[in-house]
């Protein structure tokens, strides 16, 4: 279950906005939680995915997933679930919840009439968001800073890092989706080295603030 707990910690850090993440149950062999997110093409469409991860089946087998959305019909929710299960089949053997959430966000044909209505409204989704992250460590300073710079450039983010005594703070500004993608990378990819000099991930990254 350790791998499952680590995956959930990363998801909770990424989906840290109001009502985005909710832990329903945490047991010795299974965990149930939900994540509410929106497709990039339709920010007004709030879709909640309820996951059940059970050991030792997951991640050798896809997790149990249910789709909830008051703006979609039952058939549309079932269609989203079928799509996610197809994505999950290609991810078996490794942690896949973040892949499923990313696939949902990038899907463009969810609830066509709702998407068309959302596009007619004033789009405020591009308003810049400010995020303050606290990094746990930076042993290979040059490598870590190079990675941060590269990701900020790729995701069109403005970034500033502040060293204060033993604390390390990273300030980011850009679109909410790009910031979420940055946090996902920082939590799930090797960015530094551990005390033995081996590549490691920033599992203890904390989101201190995120807002417009």
């Amino acid at each position: 279950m350790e791998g499952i707990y680590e995956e959930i910690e990363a998801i909770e850090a990424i989906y840290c906005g109001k009502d985005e993440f909710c832990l329903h149950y945490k047991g010795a062999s299974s965990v149930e939680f939900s994540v509410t997110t929106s497709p990039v093409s339709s920010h007004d469409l709030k879709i909640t995915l309820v996951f059940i991860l059970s050991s030792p089946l997951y991640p050798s087998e896809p997790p149990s997933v249910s789709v909830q959305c008051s703006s979609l019909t039952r058939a549309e929710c079932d269609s989203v679930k079928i799509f996610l299960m197809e994505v999950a089949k290609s991810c078996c053997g490794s942690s896949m919840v973040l892949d499923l959430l990313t696939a949902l966000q990038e899907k463009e044909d969810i609830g066509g009439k709702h998407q068309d209505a959302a596009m007619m409204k004033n789009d405020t989704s591009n308003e810049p968001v400010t995020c303050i992250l606290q990094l746990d460590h930076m042993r290979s300073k040059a490598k870590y800073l190079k990675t941060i710079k590269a990701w900020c450039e790729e995701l069109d983010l403005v970034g500033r890092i502040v060293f204060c005594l033993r604390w390390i703070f990273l300030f980011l500004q850009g679109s909410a989706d790009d910031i979420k993608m940055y946090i996902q990378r920082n939590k799930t990819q090797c960015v530094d080295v551990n005390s033995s000099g081996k590549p490691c991930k920033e599992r203890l990254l904390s989101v201190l603030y995120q807002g417009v």
Side-chain angles (χ1 to χ4, degrees):
M1 288 293 292
E2 182 179 352
I4 290 178
Y5 293 153
E6 289 179 353
E7 182 177 7
I8 291 176
E9 287 178 4
I11 294 167
E12 186 175 7
I14 295 166
Y15 293 88
C16 59
K18 182 180 180 182
D19 300 327
E20 282 192 323
F21 177 89
C22 181
L23 179 63
H24 301 292
Y25 171 78
K26 183 177 181 180
S29 60
S30 66
V31 177
E32 179 178 332
F33 62 95
S34 62
V35 178
T36 299
T37 188
S38 303
V40 173
S41 59
S42 184
H43 283 271
D44 289 342
L45 193 60
K46 301 298 182 183
I47 301 176
T48 298
L49 302 183
V50 181
F51 296 92
I52 299 178
L53 310 186
S54 300
S55 178
L57 298 178
Y58 178 83
S60 298
E61 297 182 8
S64 169
V65 183
S66 64
V67 181
Q68 302 172 2
C69 180
S70 60
S71 300
L72 297 180
T73 65
R74 183 67 261 170
E76 288 172 330
C77 287
D78 289 342
S79 177
V80 172
K81 181 175 180 179
I82 292 172
F83 164 73
L84 293 175
M85 288 298 96
E86 288 299 316
V87 175
K89 288 179 183 177
S90 66
C91 300
C92 287
S94 60
S95 301
M96 67 184 78
V97 174
L98 285 173
D99 292 320
L100 299 182
L101 291 166
T102 300
L104 174 63
Q105 291 164 356
E106 295 176 348
K107 189 169 174 56
E108 297 182 351
D109 56 348
I110 301 176
K113 62 181 182 180
H114 305 288
Q115 182 175 335
D116 293 340
M119 291 176 65
M120 294 176 64
K121 298 182 179 180
N122 292 327
D123 185 7
T124 60
S125 60
N126 291 324
E127 291 184 7
V129 171
T130 298
C131 181
I132 303 175
L133 306 177
Q134 182 174 349
L135 308 182
D136 180 62
H137 54 76
M138 190 176 287
R139 295 186 179 91
S140 180
K141 188 174 180 179
K143 178 180 182 295
Y144 206 147
L145 291 176
K146 183 178 179 180
T147 301
I148 291 174
K149 181 180 179 181
W151 286 347
C152 285
E153 290 177 350
E154 290 176 20
L155 298 171
D156 197 23
L157 296 173
V158 176
R160 295 291 184 272
I161 194 158
V162 176
F163 296 91
C164 181
L165 300 178
R166 63 184 181 86
W167 295 288
I168 309 170
F169 302 102
L170 176 60
F171 293 75
L172 297 174
Q173 189 172 63
S175 75
D177 290 329
D178 288 334
I179 286 178
K180 194 178 296 292
M181 179 60 70
Y182 176 90
I183 297 174
Q184 179 175 330
R185 289 185 183 184
N186 212 150
K187 291 278 289 186
T188 59
Q189 296 187 31
C190 291
V191 291
D192 199 9
V193 295
N194 60 21
S195 57
S196 300
K198 296 180 179 180
C200 68
K201 302 172 184 178
E202 181 69 85
R203 298 188 185 279
L204 298 180
L205 177 146
S206 301
V207 179
L208 303 182
Y209 170 82
Q210 183 169 326
V212 177

